[in-house]
Amino acid sequence: MSDSNLDTTRFFSTLTPTLSPAFISADDAAVYAHDLIGARREEEYGGFVLSKDNHYFVTIPQSSAGALFRPSDVLSTGENGDILPPQGYAIEGIYHSHTVFPRTASLSEDENDLLDNFFSMMDLRTAVFFRHNYPRFYLSNPDGSLLRYISTDSEWERALIPLFRVIHPGPVGHLAQPAPDNSLLPSDLLAMIHLAGDLRVICPGVFWRRRSSIGADWRTRQAIDTEVESQAPLCGPILMTANAAAKWAQVQIRKKGLVQQVGFILKHAQKSEFACTRPKVAVFEYIDRASAYARSPSGAALLPADYHVFAAYHSVDNVQVPVAASQRLLMSNCFTSDNLRMGFWLIQNGIAGSVFFSAPEGALLHYRWGEQGSDRELVASVTRRNGQVSDFEHLLSVGILSALDYVRHVAQACVLEVLEVDPVWTRKGRVTESWQPFAVLPDEPASPSA
């Protein structure tokens, strides 16, 4: 029989779900679906993580009739009951969300919170019994976190199979949540399952506050906010240019309001493919080589395979440079000298090739080195003197230097570009000494050239 006469419905799904953009990893793709689910907790949503040509995708979150997610509504099943992938794809995982239970008087607050934000017994049964079909099992929680369990077929896991077998599967094809009055406490279930497989917080939330593995000491570890992450950073979708990746990061930055966020744009070593790490709330001025990204115990950077840092990005900080009222609009939508100094330090030390800046009003700026030697005076001007203020900060505060002069000095020493405009940065393109990219400031009359 020729290949053209084969019945492909025996091997591939007859359903064709809508897919997400491509991602570097399965975790990145799952976080994309988790973001789409968001605060929708009135019913369960779910889907699958797929792979093709070393890229990862998710099916767009889908709910089923009733309160429980039915995987067979997204991809069809084969004769043996396994889920079938779309033609050309492989199934890498399954994800679904949990709704919120009413508080149960017989449980403590910790147990109630864990009940809402942890795998049910049915989830874990499915993860163990169907690891051959979808090796990763993701859970989107009401607290905003995303958990992942990978079945390992360990001795501990095999010891739990008799317990899993007594669970009534519920309606055929559904992923059921536990009843709130389940005799097995959520913490008991966690205590058993963390020894059995790979249990991890992929995306933090209110209850699960840290990206880390979940073990017996989970209460203590989740209370530590300052511990350095030991996982590769989560990344956005794969894009064809660094500018596109920076624009994606800017959209994420604006979701969190006026708090400084930082991150890095990565580039594939052999392909014209870019992705940016998801924005992290941090002070850009204090980013250094040790804390710029997660590291292994040996000190090696934990970055996706075949990717390296191409550029850095950050948003505005909350430091107000003392300038005249007419200068505040521009100055509050521009990088401070401290942020500029850190940007140059990253470039000088080979950590990043350039820097993107997201302004509060919506503009996206980009700067890199200009002609060799033109940067020395600028670097000196943005460096703090004796731990006090930089030359630029001093000149701005006493009114000798205006915000417009400050930007022009920067533009003279490096290549400064406007990629996205706003009411302050009104023109796209390179900023020069003579170009007027700014809106008219409140106390300044409009000039004929403007």
Side-chain angles (χ1 to χ4, degrees):
M1 181 182 295
S2 66
D3 291 344
S4 60
N5 293 325
L6 287 175
D7 181 9
T8 58
T9 60
R10 295 174 53 196
F11 308 104
F12 304 109
S13 174
T14 57
L15 300 175
T16 54
T18 303
L19 300 184
S20 70
F23 289 85
I24 296 175
S25 73
D27 289 350
D28 293 333
V31 173
Y32 179 86
H34 172 63
D35 285 346
L36 291 179
I37 294 170
R40 295 184 293 172
R41 298 292 159 178
E42 71 285 354
E43 55 188 347
E44 286 189 0
Y45 292 84
F48 291 89
V49 181
L50 307 174
S51 65
K52 181 179 182 180
D53 299 331
N54 295 318
H55 290 165
Y56 295 83
F57 310 81
V58 285
T59 62
I60 301 305
Q62 184 173 324
S63 61
S64 301
L68 302 177
F69 167 62
R70 186 167 49 243
S72 58
D73 285 349
V74 179
L75 295 174
S76 53
T77 57
E79 295 175 355
N80 63 351
D82 285 355
I83 297 292
L84 300 175
Q87 190 164 2
Y89 293 83
I91 297 176
E92 299 291 344
I94 189 173
Y95 71 87
H96 81 115
S97 63
H98 270 183
T99 57
V100 179
F101 284 120
R103 298 281 95 172
T104 303
S106 61
L107 297 180
S108 67
E109 281 301 304
D110 279 351
E111 292 291 347
N112 270 302
D113 289 339
L114 190 56
L115 182 69
D116 287 338
N117 299 291
F118 194 64
F119 294 100
S120 69
M121 188 78 82
M122 188 62 197
D123 290 338
L124 294 169
R125 170 195 170 109
T126 305
V128 171
F129 287 3
F130 287 88
R131 63 173 169 267
H132 65 280
N133 198 186
Y134 28 84
R136 301 170 181 85
F137 199 108
Y138 294 94
L139 175 65
S140 173
N141 289 315
D143 81 318
S145 67
L146 179 71
L147 305 186
R148 186 194 71 196
Y149 181 77
I150 297 178
S151 174
T152 59
D153 194 29
S154 65
E155 290 185 14
W156 279 98
E157 198 173 70
R158 288 196 293 271
L160 293 176
I161 288 179
L163 177 62
F164 290 145
R165 289 192 186 281
V166 302
I167 306 168
H168 191 280
V172 176
H174 284 79
L175 288 177
Q177 292 183 227
D181 58 354
N182 196 319
S183 60
L184 186 64
L185 292 176
S187 59
D188 296 334
L189 182 58
L190 187 155
M192 293 186 293
I193 203 64
H194 86 83
L195 296 170
D198 182 357
L199 180 61
R200 189 171 291 272
V201 179
I202 299 301
C203 186
V206 176
F207 183 77
W208 298 105
R209 296 191 291 176
R210 289 192 55 252
R211 295 187 67 219
S212 66
S213 59
I214 301 176
D217 60 345
W218 63 273
R219 287 185 177 86
T220 302
R221 295 191 67 185
Q222 289 302 314
I224 301 174
D225 292 326
T226 57
E227 188 173 333
V228 177
E229 291 182 359
S230 59
Q231 302 180 63
L234 295 171
C235 296
I238 296 171
L239 297 163
M240 295 299 102
T241 67
N243 288 3
K247 291 175 184 177
W248 184 89
Q250 185 183 38
V251 172
Q252 308 309 308
I253 285 172
R254 293 179 68 81
K255 293 178 181 178
K256 293 185 179 179
L258 294 180
V259 56
Q260 188 164 50
Q261 299 167 67
V262 303
F264 295 89
I265 294 174
L266 311 179
K267 183 185 183 300
H268 195 279
Q270 288 84 36
K271 305 174 185 176
S272 182
E273 293 183 350
F274 298 82
C276 66
T277 64
R278 285 177 169 263
K280 178 181 180 180
V281 175
V283 179
F284 185 65
E285 177 189 351
Y286 299 119
I287 291 292
D288 58 24
R289 186 179 291 273
S291 62
Y293 25 70
R295 293 183 173 274
S296 68
S298 66
L302 291 175
L303 295 175
D306 298 323
Y307 280 83
H308 63 270
V309 173
F310 183 82
Y313 70 83
H314 69 95
S315 61
V316 72
D317 59 26
N318 59 5
V319 176
Q320 297 297 318
V321 178
V323 293
S326 63
Q327 306 292 312
R328 288 174 191 163
L329 180 61
L330 174 55
M331 205 64 227
S332 62
N333 281 274
C334 187
F335 29 72
T336 64
S337 60
D338 282 335
N339 289 163
L340 198 60
R341 174 188 58 78
M342 178 51 63
F344 289 144
W345 185 88
L346 292 171
I347 295 172
Q348 283 178 320
N349 286 274
I351 296 178
S354 61
V355 178
F356 291 86
F357 170 74
S358 178
E361 291 288 335
L364 180 63
L365 310 182
H366 175 242
Y367 63 87
R368 54 185 171 82
W369 284 141
E371 296 180 4
Q372 188 174 7
S374 64
D375 55 281
R376 293 178 183 175
E377 183 180 346
L378 181 61
V379 171
S381 298
V382 297
T383 301
R384 288 179 177 268
R385 302 292 185 184
N386 300 319
Q388 300 301 313
V389 297
S390 66
D391 290 348
F392 273 172
E393 286 176 310
H394 172 70
L395 295 174
L396 284 165
S397 64
V398 298
I400 297 176
L401 192 71
S402 71
L404 187 56
D405 293 332
Y406 167 68
V407 172
R408 285 174 173 172
H409 276 295
V410 174
Q412 187 177 17
C414 67
V415 178
L416 175 62
E417 300 171 290
V418 180
L419 304 179
E420 293 290 318
V421 299
D422 66 10
V424 177
W425 301 85
T426 58
R427 298 181 185 179
K428 288 186 179 182
R430 183 170 178 177
V431 179
T432 66
E433 289 181 84
S434 59
W435 190 43
Q436 295 281 345
F438 317 108
V440 176
L441 300 178
D443 296 342
E444 294 182 357
S447 65
S449 61

